[in-house]
Amino acid sequence: AAQAQRQAEGRLVVLTYLCVRVCRGAMEAVSIMSAEQDEMFQLVAGVLHLGNIDFDGSSDGESSTVKAGTALQIAAKLLG
């Protein structure tokens, strides 16, 4: 099971690399410079990390607070 997990993760890494290359190629085709591409990928990564933030709800259901965790810190760093 552990070997199958590693193989699946390896395939995901390769697929992600290929997708990024295709995206970069498309952006280059419309004259988006490398620095701007990096900013776009950073923005997307920050937004995706926002989806990993956990919240604690109040007992009355009227409010919530952010649970301590790294997702918020990573998103904040990526989004500036």
Side-chain angles (χ1 to χ4, degrees), residues 2-54:
Q3 183 179 1
Q5 177 72 23
R6 284 192 299 275
Q7 288 175 339
E9 289 172 359
R11 286 190 294 272
L12 183 59
V13 168
V14 170
L15 182 59
T16 301
Y17 171 79
L18 293 173
C19 288
V20 169
R21 287 302 317 143
V22 168
C23 286
R24 285 195 180 273
M27 287 188 244
E28 288 168 5
V30 294
S31 301
I32 298 174
M33 306 307 291
S34 181
E36 292 171 313
Q37 294 175 28
D38 292 342
E39 289 175 5
M40 288 179 186
F41 282 115
Q42 185 172 336
L43 175 65
V44 169
V47 170
L48 290 173
H49 278 284
L50 288 174
N52 294 329
I53 297 172
D54 291 318

Side-chain angles (χ1 to χ4, degrees), residues 42-68:
Q42 185 172 336
L43 175 65
V44 169
V47 170
L48 290 173
H49 278 284
L50 288 174
N52 294 329
I53 297 172
D54 291 318
F55 296 89
D56 282 323
S58 66
S59 59
D60 63 6
E62 294 293 321
S63 64
S64 63
T65 56
V66 175
K67 286 185 182 179

